[in-house]
Amino acid sequence: NAPIFGIDAKGRVNEWNNKAAEITGFTRTEVMGQNLVEVYITEEYRVSVKEVLDNALQGREAANFEFPLFTKDQRRVEVLLNATTRKDVSGNVVGVLGVGQDITERKSAEAEQARVAQELQTFIDTANAPIFGIDAKGRVNEWNNKAAEITGFSSKEVVGRDLVQDFITEEYRVTVKEVLDDALQGREAANFEFPLYTKDKRRVEVLLNATTRRDVSGNVVGVLGVGQDITERKTAEAEQARV
């Protein structure tokens, strides 16, 4: 159930199984004797594919080499290739056997994941709310533009540093750490209030939602905090209380 092809010492196709025909649309009759690289590999990949096959002809086999094949109807098929040296009974190299895997769907899914991740990253970066992330050890690994604007600390200044120890005022370190540690255990928090001190020592009141971050396997890898600057609101509430 895998596409398998063979070439002779001159790079001409001498093996082409049913799966290779099914995937590419080219029958065995159409490809036999044709130069594999020149006829069936897109121009931008010819050099690298030829290098892999030439290496296999020298006895240097390749595993998990990715390249695209273009089908008879011009669709692009992503192939993961293992290239094995073929020898005759005397041990002389007579060609290469290529065993492939059609990874088109996987590559499409990876591209879609990358697109969604980039879209999410853009949303985080440009959101009109301070957003930060920490890893499982409490070190900052996300710090969006609004967080930088509010605190005065750039992303470069904070990434890799301990959020609680370096950026939370001492009186709130225990409670903020507790909220983040809870989120690292899957117990998320909503509307938690705490103060951040800016680079120029101003106090900013933040309303925080702390969300557990997980990897594709569901393992907790950190916390994403989405905040709201409520400094003006807190000041107004304090003034109303005073009056």
Side-chain angles (χ1 to χ4, degrees), residues 5-41:
F5 67 84
I7 59 168
D8 62 21
K10 293 184 177 179
R12 296 170 303 203
V13 178
N14 59 8
E15 194 76 66
W16 195 258
N17 79 339
N18 293 341
K19 195 66 178 180
E22 177 190 324
I23 287 173
T24 64
F26 292 105
T27 66
R28 178 182 170 86
T29 304
E30 289 176 298
V31 301
M32 291 295 280
Q34 299 274 3
N35 186 291
L36 178 73
V37 173
E38 292 300 320
V39 179
Y40 300 104
I41 305 300

Side-chain angles (χ1 to χ4, degrees), residues 54-105:
D54 285 349
N55 281 340
L57 286 169
Q58 299 297 318
R60 299 187 296 276
E61 300 179 341
N64 300 330
F65 174 71
E66 292 185 18
F67 70 98
L69 269 178
F70 278 85
T71 66
K72 196 171 185 177
D73 59 3
Q74 301 305 309
R75 288 180 300 104
R76 178 178 172 131
V77 177
E78 301 288 343
V79 175
L80 187 67
L81 177 71
N82 289 342
T84 305
T85 307
R86 270 184 135 172
K87 298 181 180 183
D88 63 18
V89 290
S90 303
N92 302 309
V93 174
V94 293
V96 175
L97 188 69
V99 180
Q101 181 183 349
D102 181 357
I103 57 170
T104 309
E105 288 187 11

Side-chain angles (χ1 to χ4, degrees), residues 190-202:
N191 300 329
F192 173 71
E193 294 184 18
F194 71 98
L196 269 178
Y197 278 85
T198 66
K199 197 171 185 178
D200 59 4
K201 305 303 182 186
R202 288 180 299 104

Side-chain angles (χ1 to χ4, degrees), residues 20 38 45 58 96 110 116 122 150 175 211 229 233:
E38 292 300 320
Y45 279 87
Q58 299 297 318
V96 175
E110 288 173 356
V116 171
T122 300
I150 287 173
T175 52
T211 305
D229 181 356
R233 193 191 84 187

Side-chain angles (χ1 to χ4, degrees), residues 39-235:
V39 179
Y40 300 104
I41 305 300
T42 181
E43 189 172 357
E44 63 182 310
Y45 279 87
R46 279 178 195 156
V47 172
S48 56
V49 172
K50 187 175 188 305
E51 187 176 310
V52 167
L53 297 177
D54 285 349
N55 281 340
L57 286 169
Q58 299 297 318
R60 299 187 296 276
E61 300 179 341
N64 300 330
F65 174 71
E66 292 185 18
F67 70 98
L69 269 178
F70 278 85
T71 66
K72 196 171 185 177
D73 59 3
Q74 301 305 309
R75 288 180 300 104
R76 178 178 172 131
V77 177
E78 301 288 343
V79 175
L80 187 67
L81 177 71
N82 289 342
T84 305
T85 307
R86 270 184 135 172
K87 298 181 180 183
D88 63 18
V89 290
S90 303
N92 302 309
V93 174
V94 293
V96 175
L97 188 69
V99 180
Q101 181 183 349
D102 181 357
I103 57 170
T104 309
E105 288 187 11
R106 192 192 84 189
K107 295 288 282 186
S108 296
E110 288 173 356
E112 178 61 13
Q113 286 174 346
R115 185 194 66 77
V116 171
Q118 182 57 52
E119 197 173 79
L120 177 60
Q121 190 62 55
T122 300
F123 168 76
I124 288 173
D125 287 342
T126 60
N128 196 36
I131 297 175
F132 67 84
I134 59 167
D135 62 20
K137 294 183 177 179
R139 297 170 302 203
V140 178
N141 57 10
E142 195 80 65
W143 194 260
N144 79 339
N145 297 340
K146 195 68 176 180
E149 176 190 323
I150 287 173
T151 64
F153 291 105
S154 69
S155 177
K156 284 185 179 180
E157 289 176 295
V158 300
V159 168
R161 294 173 64 180
D162 188 294
L163 177 73
V164 173
Q165 290 303 316
D166 293 350
F167 300 102
I168 305 299
T169 182
E170 190 172 356
E171 62 184 307
Y172 278 86
R173 279 177 196 158
V174 172
T175 52
V176 172
K177 188 175 188 307
E178 188 176 303
V179 166
L180 297 178
D181 285 348
D182 280 348
L184 286 170
Q185 299 297 318
R187 298 185 296 276
E188 300 178 343
N191 300 329
F192 173 71
E193 294 184 18
F194 71 98
L196 269 178
Y197 278 85
T198 66
K199 197 171 185 178
D200 59 4
K201 305 303 182 186
R202 288 180 299 104
R203 178 177 170 132
V204 176
E205 301 288 343
V206 175
L207 187 67
L208 178 72
N209 288 342
T211 305
T212 307
R213 269 184 137 170
R214 300 176 188 271
D215 62 18
V216 290
S217 302
N219 302 308
V220 174
V221 294
V223 176
L224 189 69
V226 180
Q228 181 183 348
D229 181 356
I230 58 170
T231 309
E232 289 186 9
R233 193 191 84 187
K234 295 289 284 185
T235 302

